[in-house]
Amino acid sequence: MALLTDLINLDLSDTTEKIIAEYIWIGGSGLDMRSKARTITGPVDDPSKLPKWNYDGSSTGQAPGEDSEVILYPQAIYKDPFRRGNNILVMCDCYTPAGEPIPTNKRFNAAKVFSNPDVIAEVPWYGIEQEYTLLQKDIGWPLGWPVGGFPGPQGPYYCGTGADKAFGRDIVDAHYKACLYAGINISGINGEVMPGQWEFQVGPVVGISAGDQVWVARYILERITEIAGVVVSFDPKPIKGDWNGAGAHTNYSTESMRRDGGYEIIKKAIEKLGLRHKEHIAAYGEGNERRLTGRHETADINTFLWGVANRGASIRVGRETEQNGKGYFEDRRPASNMDPYIVTSMIAETTILWKP
């Protein structure tokens, strides 16, 4: 008799040309991820060859019950690390039946920014450092923390090793490998300052693909924590008090910044970001005021400042960039729950297209 695991791991490629496509989209909260699967003839590696689909938007907070149909447009394809074989994950965005993007579709406007010829010419690179916290499912308390209590103070946990310092490494490593399998340009992982908190990095990725890849990496993490019986939180300050918050530091460069003399372009870009500080903060994630306090490696939310190697700044420039006279900078303001479509396109719009 076959076991459940045997059936889950069935290799379909020897018996059928059919594959399973898991369509993924962002729900009504702007952070919740939804997905459902359909059978198609494969293999498929071009999203334009996939059929559009629909779902009940009244059940996701994205449409009224009397006119509930929302249409999924496939935008990017990744290999499915759960079903494997020729099966795929499909990142979609959402439209009305008339073809208008629904209000929660932030990819649509981002794609317009990234399709601007001036932006295309600058080949914007992004590297996004996605922090998150693993929580015990039934009590909503960080993984590895005593129930109703606290671990020792911060210090030994950042990049730490050992059963009393690193909680959830099996989940983190499973996620790392699953993202590599899927074709996401995940570039690393590390344990963070607060115990139970981790980070993965996606990049360098060009343009709209940065948002696609971060969202799919989040989806894969949600699925893995589902299997492990653990909850993943993207709250920017999951625990009050003397504990680090969670961000999504966004590293950025353009063709002009990467060329000789690019440091001057970087400084001009940072100046423009400072002029639009309030607009960026408003778009950089909910609850960010609980994180950006001027403590725990952050700048105060109402203050814009930049510096070389300064992790207490809004914008950090690396020593190597200063020495080489070219390179990239890091926007440290985005919260862990930010929408990468909004953040990446807004940085490009402000630094490349906006004329103050």
Side-chain angles (χ1 to χ4, degrees), residues 211-224:
D212 290 338
Q213 292 197 25
V214 169
W215 275 116
V216 175
R218 285 175 174 177
Y219 173 82
I220 292 172
L221 181 57
E222 291 271 16
R223 288 282 303 275
I224 290 171

Side-chain angles (χ1 to χ4, degrees), residues 2-16 20 82-87:
L3 299 175
L4 185 60
T5 53
D6 296 330
L7 297 172
I8 289 172
N9 294 319
L10 271 178
D11 183 359
L12 303 177
S13 58
D14 293 335
T15 58
T16 179
I20 302 169
F82 304 102
R83 297 187 176 105
R84 290 170 285 187
N86 290 322
N87 303 301

